[in-house]
Amino acid sequence: MDLERSARTLTDPDAPSFHLSAPYGRINDPNGLIVVDGVAHAFYQWGPSFPDRAGIGWGHASSSDLIRWTHHGMAFEPDADYDRDGCYSGSAIAADTGADFLYTGNVKHPDGTREAHQVHVHTDDFVTFTKNVDGPVVPDAARPPGYTAHFRDPMVYACDGGRLRMCIGVQRTDETGAVLLYSAESAAGPWRFDGELAVGGLDAASAGYMWECPNIFRLTDEETGIEHDVLVICPQGATDPAINPFGVADVCGYVVGRLDGTHLRDTTGFRLLDAGFEFYAPQVFAGRDTTRDALLLSWAGMPAEDDQPSRAHDWVHTLSAPRRLTLRGGVLHQAPAVDRADFGVTIPLDSAALEADESLALPVPGDARTSWLTLRVRIADGAQARLRIGPDAAPLTVDLDADALTVDRSATRYVDGGARREVALPAPAGAVRTIDLLIDRSVVEVIVDGTVAFTARAFFAPGPVAVTLKAVGGGVTLVEGESSAFSAH
Ligand code: FRU
């Protein structure tokens, strides 16, 4: 670990404090997420030589509360022929001792062609990580016909009867995206190719040219008590507006259904997991059985957004805060998977009835650049609740009206991934909406009623990040709320 570079990153007032970030350089996808003996291990795509793309490996951090992370440096890095251009994304599964990992060894040839090898790694102690001496468990040469070398991001889970299943994101030779399924008795293989996952209701022709970072996990619907399988995918270049409503390059969403062999049947439509400017490549923590702990970390970044102000301090991107997922009526609900008592000092927010054009400064009990607010608000018919986050002159605004959430960061220092975005909001279950705001220096996460999440990088001017609630065009009542400031220790 280069301590000088790490210090340069840490002294940046924009460096997140409770969001997991790399010590320096570039972070992208979370990898190998697993909880063992009460300790969460998070690995991540780490490019320590950024902007040079060489040497991308798996950075490693651990935490007992998912918000205070200890860095352990690089767990493993490219040092073999089969991964010489990067140890790309992958996942973990608990082993009898320690854990097994599967990742993609990436090889790029000068003529532009590439190879993708699926590689097994084992650790007994989360200190030493050993690549399987027999080489890749699914070498590029064993890639099934009909798929290009965009063949990566193995995600492993246990299925009924103790067998392991692995899903891999792929591109078909006709340049459409898909997920392949493999199975094995153990992570070291041999891995058997079971076929392509048939996803009911998705039209491949408009669902993108490649699906990255698939996740499959099982959840019981809290409304019906019925178990469902959830498929999360990151389609690139999707043209279907139901998949890519903002017409961007890459999106991330999910489909709920029921796995039957290689078919995902009785599916819901595709829904975005997060409608924000920066949210991609999420991963659910590994579980020991078919039902995963539906605890998720995501990359709070996008592939084409490396040109951020933090580059002056030798780092770029961060991960999201941890989220807990539940399934209700076929829809994923998300909540910060953070214990408020762990987070820091919390104060209750007094109820307040705001008339049109009235504003209320929401107190934060400490460092106002790192806070978590939960607000329950009633918005009168025709009115709008406006949250201003940041310095007075250049805030990020979050507007909620009856059926839309609008986030506008045009006044902040970074808008490459979009300045303003409007997202449909489903009607609240009751008269009151619940809004969670997680603010951490240069990243803001908004979750409304658990069903609409919006992650945005927000590079503010230096100084405190104030939060005000304003009633626009009618009355807004803050029914109750809580405001917490993060304390690092
Ligand atoms: C997604 C992704 C993955 C790949 C990794 C490389 O952001 O492109 O498909 O494994 O990043 O860093």
Side-chain angles (χ1 to χ4, degrees):
M1 184 100 78
D2 183 333
L3 294 178
E4 210 173 294
R5 293 182 66 195
S6 152
R8 199 180 319 146
T9 293
L10 278 174
T11 52
D12 184 354
D14 290 321
S17 53
F18 63 90
H19 286 73
L20 174 55
S21 308
Y24 47 86
R26 184 180 195 264
I27 191 172
N28 56 297
D29 317 353
N31 293 154
L33 305 180
I34 189 165
V35 180
V36 174
D37 299 332
V39 177
H41 293 271
F43 301 81
Y44 52 84
Q45 287 287 282
W46 186 20
S49 309
F50 175 80
D52 191 314
R53 300 279 300 173
I56 294 172
W58 280 33
H60 177 205
S62 63
S63 173
S64 52
D65 59 12
L66 300 167
I67 44 177
R68 291 175 192 84
W69 294 93
T70 304
H71 286 286
H72 305 292
M74 197 67 103
F76 53 89
E77 56 198 341
D79 58 7
D81 279 352
Y82 55 73
D83 65 9
R84 63 171 185 255
D85 295 306
C87 299
Y88 274 12
S89 285
S91 63
I93 187 99
D96 291 340
T97 310
D100 290 301
F101 306 91
L102 271 300
Y103 74 91
T104 302
N106 186 47
V107 175
K108 286 183 181 165
H109 296 294
D111 65 359
T113 57
R114 51 164 88 203
E115 294 166 32
H117 304 272
Q118 315 310 319
V119 185
H120 165 239
V121 171
H122 177 78
T123 186
D124 282 333
D125 54 8
F126 290 91
V127 176
T128 304
F129 298 85
T130 311
K131 295 178 188 173
N132 195 316
V133 288
D134 297 330
V137 289
V138 183
D140 190 68
R143 172 163 40 94
Y147 303 97
T148 75
H150 289 284
F151 175 68
R152 58 178 172 265
D153 309 336
M155 187 269 182
V156 191
Y157 60 98
C159 50
D160 301 320
R163 263 180 94 71
L164 298 182
R165 196 133 222 211
M166 167 165 77
C167 58
I168 300 181
V170 295
Q171 177 182 58
R172 301 191 190 103
T173 43
D174 69 357
E175 298 195 5
T176 57
V179 167
L180 301 188
L181 296 173
Y182 286 75
S183 59
E185 294 297 332
S186 88
W191 285 93
R192 183 185 79 196
F193 177 49
D194 292 332
E196 183 182 302
L197 177 68
V199 187
L202 272 193
D203 174 14
S206 55
Y209 60 81
M210 163 71 187
W211 292 357
E212 294 190 313
C213 301
N215 282 236
I216 293 177
F217 51 96
R218 185 165 289 177
L219 283 177
T220 300
D221 194 306
E222 294 188 351
E223 280 179 13
T224 62
I226 296 172
E227 278 195 336
H228 289 277
D229 297 297
V230 182
L231 169 72
V232 173
I233 45 173
C234 296
Q236 300 189 283
T239 52
D240 179 349
I243 295 176
N244 186 5
F246 310 113
V248 292
D250 312 296
V251 296
C252 164
Y254 68 95
V255 171
V256 179
R258 186 177 51 82
L259 260 182
D260 172 14
T262 57
H263 289 258
L264 189 66
R265 300 190 194 279
D266 305 332
T267 48
T268 62
F270 182 94
R271 283 175 190 270
L272 294 179
L273 197 50
D274 184 298
F277 303 117
E278 285 89 21
F279 186 94
Y280 197 66
Q283 188 176 101
V284 173
F285 276 79
R288 267 190 182 276
D289 51 24
T290 43
T291 306
R292 298 204 129 215
D293 291 335
L295 196 61
L296 167 143
L297 288 180
S298 180
W299 181 27
M302 294 305 277
E305 287 193 43
D306 284 350
D307 202 8
Q308 299 189 347
S310 61
R311 279 180 71 158
H313 284 261
D314 203 10
W315 67 281
V316 67
H317 305 302
T318 182
L319 299 189
S320 73
R323 296 182 185 177
R324 188 166 299 282
L325 304 180
T326 49
L327 187 63
R328 298 183 208 166
V331 175
L332 284 180
H333 281 236
Q334 306 178 52
V338 181
D339 194 329
R340 214 178 265 277
D342 282 341
F343 192 79
V345 180
T346 296
I347 54 171
L349 296 175
D350 295 336
S351 63
L354 307 179
E355 294 185 4
D357 293 332
E358 251 191 295
S359 294
L360 176 71
L362 300 172
V364 174
D367 176 1
R369 285 175 73 79
T370 57
S371 56
W372 172 19
L373 291 98
T374 304
L375 312 174
R376 278 174 271 282
V377 294
R378 186 181 299 119
I379 305 169
D381 282 352
Q384 190 181 66
R386 165 163 291 192
L387 289 154
R388 290 168 63 95
I389 302 168
D392 265 3
L396 171 147
T397 58
V398 178
D399 291 337
L400 279 98
D401 47 42
D403 55 10
L405 168 81
T406 308
V407 176
D408 188 335
R409 63 173 174 183
S410 51
T412 69
R413 287 152 51 217
Y414 177 76
V415 295
D416 283 8
R420 185 178 180 280
R421 192 174 275 186
E422 186 180 314
V423 181
L425 267 187
V432 174
R433 284 210 191 267
T434 302
I435 308 163
D436 277 297
L437 287 180
L438 289 154
I439 302 166
D440 191 6
R441 280 126 177 243
S442 60
V443 55
V444 172
E445 294 178 60
V446 186
I447 304 178
V448 182
D449 296 331
T451 53
V452 173
F454 197 110
T455 300
R457 299 305 305 278
F459 286 88
F460 297 114
V465 174
V467 184
T468 59
L469 172 65
K470 183 176 182 182
V472 178
V476 170
T477 304
L478 173 62
V479 179
E480 58 177 353
E482 289 170 300
S483 169
S484 309
F486 178 67
S487 35
H489 304 290

PDB file of all heavy atoms in Angstrom, residues 208 361 369 397 412 454:
ATOM      1  N   GLY A 208     -30.060  -4.705 -24.939  1.00  0.00           N
ATOM      2  CA  GLY A 208     -28.639  -4.414 -24.808  1.00  0.00           C
ATOM      3  C   GLY A 208     -27.732  -5.418 -25.492  1.00  0.00           C
ATOM      4  O   GLY A 208     -28.137  -6.520 -25.825  1.00  0.00           O
ATOM      5  N   ALA A 361     -34.734  24.545   8.088  1.00  0.00           N
ATOM      6  CA  ALA A 361     -33.371  23.981   8.081  1.00  0.00           C
ATOM      7  C   ALA A 361     -33.381  22.753   8.972  1.00  0.00           C
ATOM      8  O   ALA A 361     -33.811  22.823  10.130  1.00  0.00           O
ATOM      9  CB  ALA A 361     -32.387  25.022   8.587  1.00  0.00           C
ATOM     10  N   ARG A 369     -21.277  17.205   6.816  1.00  0.00           N
ATOM     11  CA  ARG A 369     -20.943  16.653   5.483  1.00  0.00           C
ATOM     12  C   ARG A 369     -21.176  15.152   5.427  1.00  0.00           C
ATOM     13  O   ARG A 369     -21.040  14.541   4.388  1.00  0.00           O
ATOM     14  CB  ARG A 369     -19.484  16.982   5.123  1.00  0.00           C
ATOM     15  CG  ARG A 369     -19.300  18.441   4.718  1.00  0.00           C
ATOM     16  CD  ARG A 369     -17.838  18.773   4.493  1.00  0.00           C
ATOM     17  NE  ARG A 369     -17.275  18.208   3.279  1.00  0.00           N
ATOM     18  CZ  ARG A 369     -17.444  18.709   2.054  1.00  0.00           C
ATOM     19  NH1 ARG A 369     -18.187  19.784   1.891  1.00  0.00           N
ATOM     20  NH2 ARG A 369     -16.880  18.144   1.014  1.00  0.00           N
ATOM     21  N   THR A 397     -30.764  19.577  -5.549  1.00  0.00           N
ATOM     22  CA  THR A 397     -32.149  19.609  -5.072  1.00  0.00           C
ATOM     23  C   THR A 397     -32.860  18.300  -5.396  1.00  0.00           C
ATOM     24  O   THR A 397     -32.602  17.665  -6.429  1.00  0.00           O
ATOM     25  CB  THR A 397     -32.949  20.779  -5.693  1.00  0.00           C
ATOM     26  OG1 THR A 397     -32.912  20.648  -7.113  1.00  0.00           O
ATOM     27  CG2 THR A 397     -32.391  22.124  -5.284  1.00  0.00           C
ATOM     28  N   THR A 412     -23.845  21.876  -8.899  1.00  0.00           N
ATOM     29  CA  THR A 412     -22.667  21.288  -8.251  1.00  0.00           C
ATOM     30  C   THR A 412     -21.498  21.198  -9.240  1.00  0.00           C
ATOM     31  O   THR A 412     -21.646  21.537 -10.418  1.00  0.00           O
ATOM     32  CB  THR A 412     -22.977  19.880  -7.697  1.00  0.00           C
ATOM     33  OG1 THR A 412     -23.184  18.990  -8.793  1.00  0.00           O
ATOM     34  CG2 THR A 412     -24.210  19.893  -6.798  1.00  0.00           C
ATOM     35  N   PHE A 454     -32.167   6.533  -5.599  1.00  0.00           N
ATOM     36  CA  PHE A 454     -31.475   7.428  -6.524  1.00  0.00           C
ATOM     37  C   PHE A 454     -30.100   7.752  -5.944  1.00  0.00           C
ATOM     38  O   PHE A 454     -29.996   8.385  -4.904  1.00  0.00           O
ATOM     39  CB  PHE A 454     -32.280   8.719  -6.701  1.00  0.00           C
ATOM     40  CG  PHE A 454     -31.889   9.534  -7.910  1.00  0.00           C
ATOM     41  CD1 PHE A 454     -32.745   9.639  -8.997  1.00  0.00           C
ATOM     42  CD2 PHE A 454     -30.661  10.198  -7.969  1.00  0.00           C
ATOM     43  CE1 PHE A 454     -32.390  10.383 -10.119  1.00  0.00           C
ATOM     44  CE2 PHE A 454     -30.301  10.945  -9.090  1.00  0.00           C
ATOM     45  CZ  PHE A 454     -31.167  11.042 -10.170  1.00  0.00           C
TER      46      PHE A 454
END
